[in-house]
Amino acid sequence: MIALITGATSGIGKSATIEFAKHGYDLIITGRRAERLAELKEMLTKDYSVKVLDLCFDIRDAKQVETAVKAIPAEFRNIDVLVNNAGLAAGLSGIQDGKLDHWERMIDTNIKGLLYITKQIAQLMIPHKKGHIINIGSIAGKEVYANGNVYCATKHAVDALNKGMRIDLLAHGIRVSSINPGMVETEFSIVRFDGDEERAKKVYENIVPLKPEDIAETIYWVASRPAHVNINDIIIMPTIQANSTTVLR
């Protein structure tokens, strides 16, 4: 069994690679940080005795995605699971104050990047009449909150694409699922606040958020259901969070 996990060098993606490796999956790990990819590959092969292919590319660049997928060697091309994890939030401003760079990074990563890699991997899965695409969405794809405008829009797009993929790939025997977490303590807020670690820490003060391992276990559980079972959609929240804005501190 082979799983391809995007955004694998940190957070949910990294935890997912470990969870799948624990269960004997060979892995294709992708990201933009070559050094981190190499370190993760070394750890996975040493600790779990699985085969690992690391692909360093920018998922926002369609040509880079196509080139990377075409270069996958034969022994890794029969991909069973694609985990579309690469994604980010940038900024937290009203629509009138938003930065174009933030908007473009979110749209290019969360929507276009997901489309680029899904198209390539779906084409590899279709001849085998099997496969599973798991899209990592967000509670922000189910609700909208103040100053979350474009990030919420991108995650609503992921929610719509998840439903569309489910329909389009049905005849090809490919399962499609979405996992939509609430607050998970990762590098998410550090990225959102442009590296401001102090501001990022305040997001998780006086609460017990989800851990990346919680989501990784859920991803694997979804992937490990019998072939006749498709988990269409999951919303997973920490106990202290009722919705996007109601949090018990």
Side-chain angles (χ1 to χ4, degrees):
M1 300 287 278
I2 298 170
L4 188 159
I5 300 172
T6 68
T9 57
S10 65
I12 293 169
K14 183 175 181 179
S15 293
T17 67
I18 293 169
E19 189 66 26
F20 277 85
K22 283 179 185 175
H23 292 89
Y25 271 74
D26 293 327
L27 293 161
I28 303 172
I29 56 174
T30 84
R32 290 184 298 155
R33 294 176 282 194
E35 187 175 328
R36 284 201 186 187
L37 281 171
E39 290 171 357
L40 180 58
K41 178 179 179 177
E42 183 179 2
M43 182 271 286
L44 292 167
T45 53
K46 180 181 176 182
D47 293 354
Y48 300 103
S49 300
V50 296
K51 295 177 183 176
V52 181
L53 174 67
D54 55 325
L55 298 177
C56 186
F57 61 87
D58 187 343
I59 203 163
R60 299 173 297 181
D61 186 317
K63 285 292 184 186
Q64 286 190 36
V65 175
E66 183 179 3
T67 299
V69 172
K70 283 184 175 178
I72 294 173
E75 65 178 315
F76 280 99
R77 293 186 77 80
N78 190 4
I79 296 165
D80 298 282
V81 180
L82 166 63
V83 180
N84 275 322
N85 168 72
L88 57 86
L92 189 66
S93 303
I95 199 78
Q96 70 279 9
D97 299 316
K99 295 181 180 179
L100 292 183
D101 173 65
H102 286 165
W103 294 357
E104 288 167 358
R105 282 167 58 200
M106 289 186 282
I107 292 166
D108 289 349
T109 306
N110 300 355
I111 303 175
K112 292 163 71 176
L114 181 145
L115 287 169
Y116 298 154
I117 192 70
T118 298
K119 176 181 172 67
Q120 297 294 326
I121 302 306
Q123 289 176 350
L124 295 182
M125 290 177 169
I126 285 171
H128 300 284
K129 285 285 185 180
K130 67 180 181 69
H132 197 164
I133 298 170
I134 301 175
N135 298 305
I136 307 304
S138 169
I139 187 62
K142 304 292 186 179
E143 307 170 5
V144 177
Y145 53 84
N147 300 323
N149 39 71
V150 176
Y151 176 66
C152 292
T154 65
K155 288 301 186 177
H156 275 71
V158 172
D159 191 47
L161 287 168
N162 186 71
K163 294 170 183 173
M165 289 180 204
R166 179 87 172 95
I167 296 166
D168 294 344
L169 299 174
L170 182 66
H172 301 290
I174 297 170
R175 298 188 288 176
V176 181
S177 305
S178 180
I179 298 171
N180 302 277
M183 298 173 78
V184 186
E185 189 165 11
T186 64
E187 293 179 358
F188 177 88
S189 290
I190 295 173
V191 173
R192 165 167 261 177
F193 299 132
D194 295 325
D196 187 338
E197 294 190 18
E198 285 304 310
R199 188 178 178 191
K201 284 179 183 176
K202 290 179 181 178
V203 174
Y204 307 107
E205 275 184 354
N206 302 317
I207 64 166
V208 181
L210 295 168
K211 299 175 182 178
E213 294 83 1
D214 299 322
I215 310 306
E217 289 172 2
T218 306
I219 295 168
Y220 181 76
W221 179 81
V222 167
S224 63
R225 295 309 84 206
H228 71 285
V229 177
N230 188 93
I231 307 298
N232 281 11
D233 197 26
I234 290 177
I235 297 175
I236 177 169
M237 307 284 276
T239 302
I240 51 78
Q241 184 182 17
N243 57 35
S244 295
T245 56
T246 309
V247 180
L248 181 65
R249 294 185 184 272

